Amino acid sequence: LAVRAHAVLAFDYGYALSDPNMLVCWEAQFGDFCNGAQVIIDQFIASAEQKWERWNGLVMLLPHGYEGAGPEHSSARMERFLKLCGDNNIQVVYPTTAGQCFHMFRRQVMSSYRKPLIVMTPKSLLRVPTGQIDDLITGRFEEFIDDPMFVGGEHDRSKVTQVTLCCGKLFWELDQRRREIGRDDVALLRVEQIYPFNKDKLAEILARYPDSAERVYAQEEPYNAAAYLFMNNKCENELGLERLRYIGRPSSG
């Protein structure tokens, strides 16, 4: 598997390099299958633009999420990609709706530039109704998504006591649980694009909620994995927020 992952990812990287107008996607059966291709990620995907001034629009689709498949098939190691982020070299996203996926792919092809696109793709969302057909023909890809419970006026923003940032399928699970127990004082903000970090968009959304509301970050992955440490650093240094309280599993190897 390691040899195949390394070889095929290298081939697809070269294909995307030779035909920049083609949407070239490399999909792992499980996200961790890219482990054997780490050398291609380090040497080419994350660094080729800075080293050789070569753009590349390769898309990596990495199934990711705690869905009962065991430790080897639960994590695409988002944290590894985030450690490689710098100078807008790659895009790391975790879309939560079908509409977001469509606009993500469309943006990748229609942009006037080419950047590798790393996508966390939970398999469980294939069975979750996440949007309407109209979502495919209207709007654009959103780096952050405000809580629909408050956007539509269903509940009063001024009563919110906790603003929770989260990624991916965890939003749908938290939203379901929140509605089951009647918690209308908790807002759930989706981080759809972790990098590049659109600080202005996040600041705009956070400003809609009371300053007194606690800011937290929730994830299903361990403390030392996924996006918490990256997001907390960004929010502290670029938005001037206090440390985001962490909700999730403890650190794990």
Side-chain angles (χ1 to χ4, degrees), residues 219-235:
Q219 65 181 31
E220 60 180 0
E221 302 92 344
Y223 176 86
N224 58 325
Y228 169 67
L229 294 175
F230 181 90
M231 285 295 300
N232 183 63
N233 179 67
K234 289 291 186 181
C235 287

Side-chain angles (χ1 to χ4, degrees), residues 74 114 125 128 237:
S74 295
R114 292 291 176 264
L125 286 192
V128 175
N237 294 326

Side-chain angles (χ1 to χ4, degrees), residues 26-39:
W26 183 87
E27 182 173 22
Q29 182 179 0
F30 290 98
D32 66 281
F33 280 21
C34 70
N35 286 340
Q38 194 68 47
V39 63

Side-chain angles (χ1 to χ4, degrees), residues 50-63:
Q50 188 169 5
K51 289 191 293 188
W52 304 308
E53 298 182 354
R54 296 302 304 271
W55 284 354
N56 193 289
L58 177 67
V59 178
M60 293 182 65
L61 301 169
L62 307 177

